[in-house]
Amino acid sequence: MHYLVLPPFTDWHLHVRQDDLLPSLVLASARTCSRALIMPNTIPPVTNAAAAVRYKEEILTGLTAAARQASLQRVPAFEPLMTLYMTDNTTEKDLEDAKAAGVVAVKLYPKGATTNSNTVSLQHIKLLVQGRHDSFTLTSSYR
């Protein structure tokens, strides 16, 4: 008999929110995915390396708490892939610091068409661009 072994699944667009919702959302995702690309549009948004590190710690702490509350014998293995919310104030230094801290991508939520959008070097991390129109969502990655 032949078997097909699939690699662990990755959720490429996960909002785990904050506060009371976070632990249960992270646990639900960790039960089916080994890692997830975490969206940075929190309040306040994740706009720098320090905020990304704090949010990742919050996510992992929430996962541990939810697993204990669910009486699981072990915490599911789960890797939050952190992103930054790109703003008009994002600098190359912000991106360098983010990459050094383990951030894997920058998320751009455009307010409209932009001029000179290629003026900031992405320091070899991905730029994710999201477009939304009524009933569909389009997410593209540029590297």
Side-chain angles (χ1 to χ4, degrees):
M1 180 175 274
H2 296 280
Y3 294 93
L4 176 63
V5 178
L6 297 175
F9 291 105
T10 299
D11 183 335
W12 291 110
H13 188 113
L14 181 63
H15 294 269
V16 294
R17 306 298 179 210
Q18 296 165 283
D19 303 322
D20 295 342
L21 285 176
L22 185 143
S24 59
L25 291 172
V26 174
L27 179 59
S29 186
R31 285 179 160 170
T32 57
C33 298
S34 63
R35 60 189 190 158
L37 192 66
I38 305 297
M39 296 297 105
N41 55 329
T42 55
I43 301 172
V46 179
T47 58
N48 59 52
V53 168
R54 279 192 305 272
Y55 194 34
K56 184 174 184 176
E57 290 171 357
E58 184 181 347
I59 290 166
L60 294 173
T61 298
L63 174 60
T64 300
R68 281 193 195 126
Q69 186 174 1
S71 301
L72 298 181
Q73 292 185 357
R74 66 178 182 81
V75 177
F78 182 75
E79 179 185 10
L81 302 172
M82 304 308 295
T83 63
L84 287 190
Y85 189 117
M86 188 173 189
T87 71
D88 292 341
N89 299 318
T90 302
T91 65
E92 288 191 41
K93 176 79 167 106
D94 291 332
L95 298 174
E96 291 168 5
D97 292 347
K99 185 175 181 186
V103 170
V104 298
V106 178
K107 186 78 185 243
L108 175 65
Y109 296 88
K111 295 176 186 172
T114 57
T115 304
N116 298 325
S117 61
N118 60 348
T119 58
V120 176
S121 166
L122 290 176
Q123 299 300 317
H124 305 288
I125 62 176
K126 291 177 176 51
L127 170 64
L128 305 178
V129 179
Q130 178 169 328
R132 195 171 289 244
H133 183 273
D134 295 333
S135 63
F136 71 90
T137 299
L138 170 67
T139 303
S140 300
S141 178
Y142 173 78
R143 184 168 89 122

